Amino acid sequence: MTVIAVLADPPRPGVGYPTLPETSPLSQAEASDLYEAVLRDTVRAVDRSGGDLLVNYPTEEMLPEPARGGDPPEAELRAIVADTLGSVEDVRFEPQVGSNYSARAGNTATHLLREEDAASVAIVEPTTPFLTRQVIDAAAMKLRSSGAVLGPARRGRCYYAGFTEPVDFTDAFAGASVRTLAERTREAGEDVEFVRSLPAIRTGEDLLDVVPLLRARFAAERVVPEHTATFVHEHGLETREADGDLELVRDERVRGDS
């Protein structure tokens, strides 16, 4: 089985999607609520897949100063996962180690592969609500014959990064990470495979991909990520064309009814 390490922050203002309030109609508190919704959909997808769920949490000292205080990050995330899945009996929780995201992701993958003899490890974040059991299991199948399986997102980012052997993870998840991770894997003498591209949330511009797809899947009566879809509906998030460009707006009538 692939160990799916979800590098998750506690959903607090200024953490998770820190730039979303500057680039969308969402407030800091609402951005945190959206992060929590995507986190819930992510852990549910992993739980339903053939992978083993590991929640990799930051220590309090890793969080920005204004976001510190209250329950410890592990306790906060345990409560969210337990509420989502009904139990955390089969879920591992481990602290992150490293000075930045690339170091933390790399340390987690390397430790599991080398010290715990995991057959394969995947690094994901709560950024794409469309990470489904089918995507996770398809990646696991590819990892049986490839050194790395990558899930591309917009602007060269990577929403899923699975490995069977460690690579040089130094700054590998920064910038256009899908290219860097592919190059590092090939430098290590391993093959690279891909799963389908999915939209991942960082800024308000990313929601221009996420919101229409959610609305389309709902209209087509297809499965939608429950928690994220509920957030989008209750906050009245829509897109509209203005001067030839698509923009994110809020339907205040929907918000008023929620």
Side-chain angles (χ1 to χ4, degrees), residues 38-226:
V38 178
L39 171 60
R40 288 176 180 271
D41 287 327
T42 300
V43 298
R44 176 176 286 179
V46 176
D47 181 67
R48 291 174 172 174
S49 76
D52 294 327
L53 175 57
L54 165 63
V55 177
N56 212 202
Y57 60 88
T59 63
E60 191 79 11
E61 294 73 23
M62 291 178 178
L63 300 176
E65 186 77 37
R68 297 177 188 174
D71 291 335
E74 179 184 1
E76 191 171 344
L77 289 167
R78 276 184 179 274
I80 292 170
V81 175
D83 183 64
T84 303
L85 303 181
S87 169
V88 293
E89 182 178 353
D90 296 324
V91 183
R92 285 181 59 182
F93 291 81
E94 297 288 346
Q96 297 174 15
V97 178
S99 58
N100 56 43
Y101 181 83
S102 292
R104 295 166 193 172
N107 286 336
T108 295
T110 300
H111 172 79
L112 291 168
L113 291 168
R114 286 185 174 167
E115 305 302 324
E116 298 193 14
D117 294 324
S120 56
V121 175
I123 302 295
V124 302
E125 291 181 275
T127 56
T128 176
F130 303 107
L131 180 65
T132 62
R133 171 183 61 81
Q134 291 84 354
V135 172
I136 295 169
D137 288 343
M141 288 293 292
K142 291 176 181 287
L143 281 168
R144 294 181 180 181
S145 57
S146 299
V149 175
L150 307 177
R154 198 166 181 265
R155 294 184 176 178
R157 298 195 299 260
C158 199
Y159 71 84
Y160 176 102
F163 305 92
T164 58
E165 294 290 341
V167 301
D168 179 4
F169 289 108
T170 305
D171 297 327
F173 287 86
S177 56
V178 69
R179 174 182 174 178
T180 304
L181 289 167
E183 291 174 343
R184 299 283 176 84
T185 302
R186 292 298 293 147
E187 289 168 3
E190 301 287 344
D191 292 332
V192 182
E193 275 287 355
F194 299 89
V195 286
R196 61 191 178 98
S197 179
L198 292 174
I201 301 169
R202 280 284 188 275
T203 68
E205 189 174 356
D206 297 323
L207 290 175
L208 296 177
D209 295 319
V210 171
V211 171
L213 182 53
L214 272 174
R215 297 267 183 201
R217 292 190 65 85
F218 183 80
E221 298 183 351
R222 301 294 297 275
V223 174
V224 295
E226 176 188 355

Side-chain angles (χ1 to χ4, degrees), residues 30 233-237 250-258:
E30 289 167 336
H233 171 72
E234 292 182 348
H235 290 78
L237 294 184
R250 308 183 77 149
D251 185 340
E252 296 296 333
R253 295 171 300 175
V254 174
R255 290 189 66 215
D257 293 338
S258 61

